[in-house]
Amino acid sequence: MSLKTHITTNAVSLFARNGIRRVSMDDVARKANVSKRTLYDFFKDKEALLIEVLKEIRKPFIEYFSVWERRPDTALEIILLFNEKMIEKPTVLCDNFFEDVMRYPEALKILLEGKRLFLEKVVELLKRGEKEHVFMSDINYDIISLFFQKQMPSAGTSEVYARYTHEEVHNTLFFIFLRGICTDTGRDILDKFVVKKKYRNMSGDSSQ
């Protein structure tokens, strides 16, 4: 791992947990165990560092999609496998992160662009699943994409996450959404996946 990547990785954990405004460049230097001068050799200011942080957060999405898309599974199975992999290595961003990033226009562009590209991939899979008859054909998936592009986490969600883990909240909404768009064939695949997942969890086996 390069020194720049090492610094960025440490900054990810700080920004994700505390937001951006509460984290100083001194905090990042201490966390990464480098001098402040070294930090500024790589990043001219906090926004430059934030841009790299956002790119680092995006990497797993790109890597996993490139792997799963080559598999001979249905689009539904790819989405389910992708979701499991992302839960294994989550980057949970606190509410303050999304509030704070609004203060950094160039970083905000990177965040929104990453979200747009991610949703494009999702819509590609949804439309592929439509052709595979695992997702319903009478749904305009482009509208779903546009809706989610406009959604940003807000401080109002903090009460939910105070009571439940991010994984519980995510999985509840994720499976409700999938079940709602699945055909009978898709629901059979989904139900088998859920049963298999429960069996793995009970047996302690986390392998695919």
Side-chain angles (χ1 to χ4, degrees), residues 83-92 160-161 163-175 193 197 200-201:
N83 181 65
E84 272 209 329
K85 188 61 70 173
M86 294 313 301
I87 287 175
E88 285 177 15
K89 296 184 178 180
T91 300
V92 177
V160 176
Y161 292 118
R163 296 179 60 184
Y164 306 100
T165 67
H166 280 76
E167 183 176 343
E168 287 174 312
V169 175
H170 169 78
N171 276 337
T172 297
L173 299 176
F174 176 74
F175 283 105
F193 178 87
K197 178 178 170 59
R200 284 205 310 272
N201 289 341

